[in-house]
Each structure stands twice: as structure tokens, then as C-alpha cells.
Amino acid sequence: GENVEQHPSTLSVQEGDSAVIKCTYSDSASNYFPWYKQELGKRPQLIIDIRSNVGEKKDQRIAVTLNKTAKHFSLHITETQPEDSAVYFCAANLRGSTGNQFYFGTGTSLTVIP
Amino acid sequence: KAGVTQTPRYLIKTRGQQVTLSCSPISGHRSVSWYQQTPGQGLQFLFEYFSETQRNKGNFPGRFSGRQFSNSRSEMNVSTLELGDSALYLCASSLAGQDNEKLFFGSGTQLSVL
């Protein structure tokens, strides 16, 4: 099966600085990599995703990069704001003939200090 | 469009009891998957249902089971509850199919086993 590792587990940055969260996966057959943001007591929300045929994707202050050879992908948040404080999860989808199977990292708790 | 709805929001049970959780997907979504979320463990995949059939199953004991109805609503059952089953149980729905893997999560059911 797939194994997703995520680092760091906690991250504190000053408002306006950048934050980077890194994930590695083990199965080269994984082809879809979403990132979720979960605020305290709320449901995980998809913030950005990338497919295996794309190396980078950007949406305003958020970007994701994927290195298929090294089997790692990263989330970049620029100009961080206090409302970016949350737990972020990466995931890898191992899509097979029987459908999707998502494997999640253990999460990164991001704190943006005003 | 209504989001993914999970009921109940909170549950308190004692060891040995059984519990049933419910999930109503977004209208038109045919795939429902279930995840267990515990502090430090992230989200762990339980199973995925599509068109009333379980397509994939995670590495959980047989005490964890589920089903999906013809209207795509899904239930998850845990029998003979153990203290370690205390967790937030999240369900997610998706359109499924190629390039339609995006997961939309419910708010979860917080299960406490005493």
C-alpha cells in the first residue's frame, strides 16, 4: 500500500512570512495529491490539489509542487496571515481498478503569529 | 447545494456497545468514504463505497463495517466498542470516476468510548 509522511508536525511563522510543508509518498502509482486545511472543530477543506502530470500549481498565495522522481510534494503559503493558522493535511490517491484510496499525512499544525 | 451531512455530531458509548454513524453525501455524489481521525495519527482510511458496493477497505478490524444505500447515503457500524475507538469519524463524498476524485468532507461524528 501507500505510505505518506508529512513534515514538520508543527510550524510557527511570523505574519507575512512564508510557510512550507513537505510530504513524501511511497507508491509511484499514486496520481493525485490534494491538500486539506482543517480549522479547529471544523471539517477538512480542500485548498489545492495537483495531478501527477503537473509539476506545479498556484492559487493566489498558495502553491503546490510535485517531484515525481523523488516522490515528494510540498505546500507553499506566502504572505501568511493569522487566518492561515490551522492543521494542514497532505494526501496521495492510489487509484486502482477498484476506485480511489486516499492516504493522508499526519498533519502539520501551522500557527501564524501576528 | 447542501454539503456532506453526518449524524449524530457527538456520541458517548461504553465499551462493548455498538454504534452506527450516518453520512449523507452531496447530491449527485456516488462515492462515500470513511476516515478515522485521532490526534497525531491524521486521517486513516476505513473504506469506500460506490453504487452500494464496498470498493476498497483500509486496515481496520472486522468490527468496523459499513454499507451504502441506493440513494448513496452511507452508514458505518462499529461493534464491540473499545476505548481505542474514541475518535472523530469523518465521511467524504466525491463524484468518483476519472479526474473526479476531489473529496468533500462532512463535519464528522465525535465518538467517545468510556
Side-chain angles (χ1 to χ4, degrees):
Chain A
E2 176 62 280
N3 181 47
V4 177
E5 294 189 356
Q6 182 172 348
H7 300 281
S9 57
T10 59
L11 180 60
S12 291
V13 299
Q14 290 291 137
E15 182 178 359
D17 287 351
S18 295
V20 180
I21 302 170
K22 299 182 178 181
C23 288
T24 60
Y25 61 101
S26 60
D27 198 321
S28 57
S30 290
N31 61 359
Y32 172 68
F33 307 91
W35 286 87
Y36 286 85
K37 174 184 179 182
Q38 187 176 29
E39 296 176 68
L40 192 62
K42 296 191 175 181
R43 69 187 75 192
Q45 299 262 21
L46 177 68
I47 56 171
I48 197 166
D49 54 10
I50 192 167
R51 298 193 181 283
S52 58
N53 58 349
V54 176
E56 185 174 357
K57 184 176 178 181
K58 190 173 180 181
D59 183 4
Q60 299 182 339
R61 297 186 297 108
I62 296 173
V64 57
T65 58
L66 171 65
N67 183 327
K68 280 197 302 181
T69 303
K71 297 199 194 72
H72 66 71
F73 55 114
S74 300
L75 177 71
H76 304 253
I77 306 174
T78 58
E79 300 171 26
T80 53
Q81 301 167 4
E83 51 265 39
D84 293 330
S85 295
V87 178
Y88 292 80
F89 292 97
C90 63
N93 181 28
L94 186 60
R95 180 175 176 80
S97 58
T98 56
N100 299 312
Q101 193 158 352
F102 282 84
Y103 294 85
F104 284 81
T106 50
T108 296
S109 178
L110 173 64
T111 301
V112 179
I113 304 165
Chain B
K1 192 180 255 189
V4 178
T5 304
Q6 289 188 249
T7 57
R9 189 71 178 89
Y10 301 95
L11 266 177
I12 299 176
K13 293 285 186 179
T14 56
R15 279 182 300 172
Q17 287 187 307
Q18 74 163 17
V19 66
T20 299
L21 314 181
S22 179
C23 173
S24 293
I26 292 172
S27 178
H29 285 195
R30 297 168 64 191
S31 169
V32 174
S33 51
W34 289 88
Y35 300 84
Q36 182 193 66
Q37 184 176 24
T38 53
Q41 291 293 314
L43 283 77
Q44 294 186 284
F45 173 74
L46 281 153
F47 26 66
E48 186 217 9
Y49 285 87
F50 179 82
S51 293
E52 303 177 65
T53 300
Q54 186 182 90
R55 293 201 298 187
N56 286 294
K57 191 178 192 308
N59 190 26
F60 277 82
R63 300 185 296 107
F64 292 82
S65 62
R67 59 178 176 168
Q68 186 180 34
F69 302 95
S70 58
N71 62 356
S72 294
R73 189 178 71 86
S74 177
E75 288 182 348
M76 189 190 96
N77 185 275
V78 188
S79 62
T80 321
L81 284 166
E82 300 177 359
L83 295 179
D85 297 334
S86 295
L88 178 67
Y89 290 89
L90 292 162
C91 83
S93 73
S94 73
L95 284 167
Q98 192 72 27
D99 298 337
N100 279 310
E101 309 98 320
K102 292 186 181 183
L103 295 179
F104 296 85
F105 282 91
S107 295
T109 294
Q110 184 68 54
L111 172 65
S112 297
V113 182
L114 307 177

